[in-house]
Amino acid sequence: MYQDDGSSVTSSPLQVFSTMPVSPSMGSPYPWVRELKSEERGLYLIHLLLTCANHVASGGLENAEIALSQISHLASPDGDTMQRIAAYFAEALARRIVKAWPGIDKALNATQITLVSEQILVRKLFYDMFPFMKVAFVLTNQAIIEAMEGEKMVHVIDLHAAEPAQWIALLQAFSVRPEGPPHLRITGIHPQKGVLDQMAHKLIEEAEKLDIPFQFNPIVSKLENLDIEKLRVKTGEALAISSILQLHSFLASDDELRKKSPSILKNSNGINMQRVLQMNQSTLGELLEKDTANGCSPSPDSASSSPLSSTASVKMDSFLNFLWGLSPKLMVVTEQDSNHNGSTLMERLLEALYTYAALFDCLESTVSRTSMERLKVEKMLFGDEIKNIIACEGAARKERHEKLEKWIQRLDLAGFGNVSLSYYGMLQARRLLQGYGCDGYRMKEENGSVVICWQDRPLFSVSAWRCRK
């Protein structure tokens, strides 16, 4: 066997992965599979996931079931990074199969209970374990402080008011403003009253301590059901809007409104997998990165030159028009910097493998494998997102993450002009990352915005906007 450059490759059982048939005779893995090293097992799991997804996409459920059976022998939610990822992607593919029978799907979920308190806890764990939201808060607050220079009445609308730490920091920053603090009003939107009550208590307490005139306006509502009148935007106040991981859900649209695209993946587990199997990398993110470099590309939709999707959501257009109509002096948007909104299963699966490989790698590098907190974040946050991206379609598919360039196009079309984040804000954010005790976190500037990465993999973007009248 030879690589493309003609050099020989040492003989290995891995060489047969890409040509290995999936048939009923493979109901349980070959004996040597259990003896694979961690890297080799990860490669085999990638092969099985791609094979399974191809069968699911084409309706070959018998072969998909065989592939899932094999994955179950090797994957584990408490194993190494690649075993954990495979467990959640396999679950998502199985869930997609079951959704073909709505009655069975509903019966399986009929007694499932997700406690709101657990969801809030997992979001808090995500905030604590990763620096992404902390960086977003630093950049958002600095942009607000700079935009509101000289303003005496400032109103901030938080589209998902879940973490008081962001606004406590803003209060502290305003308290030392040379011209004195403004009268600050924060409107917090969240579906849970308890979350808003806790935020109100902490912010009012901090404002009193700092002697800053302050009001908190809680709105108990899902963002999609927001009553505009409750925002109480007043004449004479300078308005800022903070959106943290909220806009992408408005891209959801009903299946009948979307244009169907033919499947675009051609034999992903063929020659491209052959190239993957020649790699010797330690993480799934690296494996996938190498695979892309050798020809197994992410979806065309992720290319920076790609036009804005013609299936853009009417809900998104309407919501952005609503925000524009409020005439904010500044709007700061934080979103996942990934392309999980492709029209086909295989597009989304490949893109999601890249993203979640990086996120699981973050935890592998910083948190013990036996940590229950880590398991909760992986299962209840990342696992649920993976299931939504892979198993759901239409309005039910909420996790429609897109790349920064798409948001730039979309916000520009909605009448917003990009505002470059300041050097000082970026400096603060870099210092935060450098002090995090892990050198895998990076950030880079793109068109005046910031992209936060794990190694070289973009994961979150932060961009600032103003109304272009």
Side-chain angles (χ1 to χ4, degrees):
M1 180 177 177
Y2 290 87
Q3 293 183 358
D4 291 345
D5 61 3
S7 60
S8 64
V9 179
T10 304
S11 178
S12 163
L14 290 174
Q15 294 173 10
V16 304
F17 287 175
S18 60
T19 56
M20 187 183 295
V22 177
S23 65
S25 63
M26 289 177 58
S28 59
Y30 294 129
W32 54 262
V33 168
R34 290 189 176 277
E35 306 303 320
L36 292 175
K37 295 176 183 177
S38 177
E39 297 163 9
E40 296 170 332
R41 181 176 58 227
L43 291 168
Y44 189 34
L45 282 168
I46 295 172
H47 165 69
L48 288 173
L49 285 170
L50 292 175
T51 299
C52 180
N54 266 320
H55 288 310
V56 172
S58 63
L61 300 188
E62 183 178 345
N63 283 335
E65 194 278 332
I66 294 167
L68 285 171
S69 177
Q70 293 186 51
I71 292 169
S72 70
H73 284 279
L74 299 175
S76 170
D78 56 4
D80 63 28
T81 301
M82 289 168 272
Q83 287 179 301
R84 289 172 183 244
I85 292 168
Y88 292 111
F89 273 87
E91 182 184 3
L93 287 167
R95 180 63 63 185
R96 185 179 178 92
I97 293 171
V98 170
K99 281 184 178 292
W101 291 276
I104 296 174
D105 184 43
K106 288 179 182 177
L108 286 173
N109 289 286
T111 59
Q112 189 174 19
I113 299 173
T114 303
L115 298 176
V116 172
S117 58
E118 287 185 345
Q119 292 177 325
I120 294 169
L121 171 63
V122 168
R123 289 285 174 183
K124 176 66 175 171
L125 289 173
F126 175 72
Y127 174 80
D128 292 338
M129 288 182 174
F130 296 88
F132 303 120
M133 295 302 97
K134 299 180 184 74
V135 169
F137 291 171
V138 165
L139 291 167
T140 299
N141 284 0
Q142 185 59 33
I144 291 173
I145 290 163
E146 292 168 4
M148 300 303 167
E149 185 177 350
E151 296 287 353
K152 295 181 178 177
M153 296 180 66
V154 175
H155 183 185
V156 178
I157 297 175
D158 184 349
L159 298 184
H160 187 71
E163 182 50 66
Q166 177 179 10
W167 306 125
I168 288 174
L170 184 69
L171 283 164
Q172 292 169 348
F174 272 138
S175 72
V176 295
R177 197 171 69 161
E179 66 266 38
H183 181 286
L184 178 63
R185 185 156 64 99
I186 293 178
T187 293
I189 303 164
H190 197 280
Q192 298 301 320
K193 182 177 182 296
V195 172
L196 293 173
D197 288 345
Q198 184 181 47
M199 179 172 280
H201 173 74
K202 290 185 176 181
L203 296 185
I204 291 169
E205 184 179 61
E206 187 68 20
E208 289 175 351
K209 190 190 305 179
L210 297 169
D211 195 25
I212 292 179
F214 175 74
Q215 287 178 286
F216 185 74
N217 175 32
I219 300 178
V220 181
S221 172
K222 289 184 177 180
L223 197 54
E224 60 200 52
N225 301 326
L226 180 64
D227 181 353
I228 299 172
E229 296 299 321
K230 291 183 178 179
L231 294 175
R232 304 209 308 261
V233 177
K234 300 176 182 177
T235 304
E237 62 183 12
L239 179 65
I241 298 172
S242 172
S243 174
I244 306 283
L245 311 183
Q246 295 305 300
L247 293 186
H248 64 263
S249 64
F250 283 92
L251 291 169
S253 59
D254 294 331
D255 279 331
E256 60 266 23
L257 297 178
R258 293 183 60 84
K259 297 177 181 178
K260 302 294 184 180
S261 305
S263 179
I264 64 164
L265 196 77
K266 296 181 180 178
N267 196 19
S268 319
N269 56 325
I271 187 167
N272 294 324
M273 276 306 304
Q274 187 86 2
R275 288 169 175 163
V276 174
L277 300 173
Q278 296 166 6
M279 304 304 163
N280 182 27
Q281 304 297 321
S282 59
T283 68
L284 180 53
E286 291 170 342
L287 295 171
L288 289 164
E289 193 68 57
K290 284 288 186 180
D291 192 26
T292 299
N294 285 281
C296 189
S297 304
S299 69
D301 206 29
S302 67
S304 59
S305 60
S306 63
L308 195 61
S309 171
S310 61
T311 58
S313 170
V314 174
K315 284 171 62 179
M316 172 62 78
D317 295 341
S318 176
F319 189 67
L320 290 180
N321 287 338
F322 154 66
L323 294 178
W324 185 87
L326 295 175
S327 300
K329 191 169 186 181
L330 181 77
M331 179 168 76
V332 186
V333 175
T334 298
E335 280 292 334
Q336 291 92 338
D337 193 55
S338 306
N339 181 44
H340 299 151
N341 197 24
S343 58
T344 68
L345 168 63
M346 294 306 300
E347 284 181 90
R348 300 202 301 272
L349 181 111
L350 284 169
E351 292 287 343
L353 276 171
Y354 279 103
T355 298
Y356 291 97
L359 289 168
F360 277 66
D361 281 344
C362 292
L363 290 176
E364 182 74 4
S365 300
T366 56
V367 185
S368 165
R369 288 183 184 176
T370 59
S371 165
M372 285 304 298
E373 288 78 13
R374 172 180 173 177
L375 187 62
K376 284 181 180 179
V377 170
E378 289 176 340
K379 179 177 175 60
M380 297 175 63
L381 182 58
F382 299 155
D384 282 357
E385 288 179 356
I386 290 167
K387 274 190 285 190
N388 190 266
I389 292 165
I390 301 301
C392 297
E393 294 294 350
R397 183 159 60 84
K398 301 289 187 182
E399 302 299 337
R400 295 172 178 258
H401 313 145
E402 292 196 338
K403 300 289 287 182
L404 174 61
E405 54 263 32
K406 288 290 190 69
W407 290 111
I408 289 174
Q409 293 177 55
R410 185 171 283 110
L411 287 158
D412 181 70
L413 286 172
F416 290 93
N418 189 237
V419 177
S420 292
L421 295 167
S422 71
Y423 171 80
Y424 183 63
M426 293 187 195
L427 184 63
Q428 290 184 77
R430 287 188 194 279
R431 284 175 178 167
L432 191 156
L433 281 182
Q434 289 166 359
Y436 207 72
C438 183
D439 61 4
Y441 292 109
R442 316 265 168 81
M443 57 175 276
K444 59 183 180 179
E445 187 265 340
E446 270 187 29
N447 301 313
S449 304
V450 163
V451 176
I452 315 165
C453 310
W454 172 252
Q455 305 296 355
D456 295 323
R457 171 59 47 184
L459 292 174
F460 294 88
S461 67
V462 184
S463 58
W465 303 86
R466 58 174 175 76
C467 271
R468 196 175 60 240
K469 295 295 185 181

